[in-house]
Amino acid sequence: MKIKSIIAIAAGVVLAACTSQTGFSIKAIEAGGGVVNVIDLLSGNVITSGEGDEVLLVGKADKNALLAVQKEGEDWQTLLFNDGEPVCVNIEDHSVEGSELNRKVTEFDLASSKAISIINDAIDSLEDLDPAAQVVNSASIQSKIEEFMKSYKDLLSQNHDNIVPAAFMPSIFSYLDEEEINEELKPEYAYTKHPYTQKFIKMMDEQKAKEEAAVAAAQQIIGSKFTDVEEPDVDGKNHKLSEYVGTGKWVLVDFWASWCGPCRREMPNVVAAYKKYSAKGFDIVGLSFDNDKEAWVKAIADLDMPWHHLSDLKGWQSKAAEVYGIHSIPSSLLINPEGIIVARDLRGDALGNKLAEIFGE
């Protein structure tokens, strides 16, 4: 289960592990006559299946392999470690009996699901509130989200000696930041050694390597001439970047979107820089990664952005994203009067400091 529009769960890659095989015996009750599958979550393969109101599912899997019991046609997966103890899974209420380890897994899973439902309901209710009440309730929702995320930190810190947290690695790697994760992934912790944890460590390492490569590639653009891009303005009229760049002014090409929270938080710094230096030869071109024109135009007004704005309204498939290799926003290029890129991603005070240096203040 997910928090709506807030968190995205990571996709999986398979990391093979060689361990001994252990038999499992799972009684699935209250199945309503449907087909119930036992899935190995590391590989994604169905190990065994059964059909009926009460089903006995037996088979073998790696010792302590993470399994999921799932009725076909339903989203809920009851998570189980193959610890060798027989278990009884209630398909209707998702409860588990027969294994202390798996009881702990289920207890946390159900509590987490309940917390997400409360948060989702609160988010849905915002639409019916006036703006003032939305602000108040949004603060309350944020507090609930922070409490929810803390539950995953607590899960890790309170279970160093067992593998329970391994069952929740997709959520842990999605809800916690890299520093928080690294603090709780010491080799001596039992769950860190589990193949399912190792799967997500591998994913994190691969993603980090991609990001570092992207940053290195992005820095290579400094010192080169800008590449022209043509996109429509808010009135639908096409403009080339070369109409504004390389024409004698210092220009910040700002990649952003109305839906991007960090972009909106950064915008006051950009606005302040524009107001201070626009009369001295500084200009800005906003290249938006929006899809929704109404949201784009509204954000321009709401954020007080009185400069040039272009967007083909194709989101991440934007021509600007393709030409400049933009994989995350906010991002920006500072281009000198001759059209040479001299800096990128000047955030916070860095933009103001650079402009003060350029304009001699």
Side-chain angles (χ1 to χ4, degrees), residues 148-279:
F148 171 74
M149 293 190 178
K150 183 178 180 298
S151 71
Y152 281 91
K153 296 179 190 179
D154 293 340
L155 175 72
L156 290 166
S157 64
Q158 295 169 9
N159 291 279
H160 291 160
D161 62 346
N162 63 71
I163 61 174
V164 168
F168 302 99
M169 284 300 153
S171 298
I172 287 168
F173 275 77
S174 297
Y175 299 159
L176 305 184
D177 62 34
E178 184 177 347
E179 182 178 351
E180 292 169 331
I181 291 170
N182 286 334
E183 286 177 0
E184 295 293 344
L185 287 183
K186 295 179 181 178
E188 62 266 30
Y189 297 158
Y191 54 76
T192 303
K193 304 180 185 74
H194 194 277
Y196 202 60
T197 302
Q198 290 295 314
K199 163 184 172 176
F200 287 91
I201 290 175
K202 181 180 179 182
M203 287 172 58
M204 183 175 71
D205 290 344
E206 290 175 347
Q207 180 62 30
K208 186 175 181 180
K210 288 180 182 178
E211 290 173 356
E212 289 174 349
V215 169
Q219 291 304 314
Q220 292 178 3
I221 200 173
I222 294 175
S224 63
K225 189 174 180 62
F226 81 96
T227 302
D228 213 358
V229 175
E230 183 174 358
E231 293 189 3
D233 64 14
V234 295
D235 296 318
K237 182 180 178 181
N238 282 347
H239 290 273
K240 291 184 176 181
L241 196 56
S242 55
E243 293 177 38
Y244 316 106
V245 178
T247 60
K249 287 187 175 183
W250 285 87
V251 180
L252 184 76
V253 177
D254 187 35
F255 304 97
W256 73 292
S258 66
W259 46 260
C260 169
C263 300
R264 298 180 76 104
R265 290 193 291 273
E266 178 65 20
M267 207 54 69
N269 294 320
V270 183
V271 171
Y274 181 80
K275 289 182 177 179
K276 186 171 183 178
Y277 295 105
S278 61

Side-chain angles (χ1 to χ4, degrees), residues 107-124:
E107 185 179 81
F108 184 85
D109 205 10
L110 290 172
S112 177
S113 177
K114 181 178 180 181
I116 291 174
S117 293
I118 291 171
I119 292 169
N120 283 341
D121 289 345
I123 291 172
D124 288 341

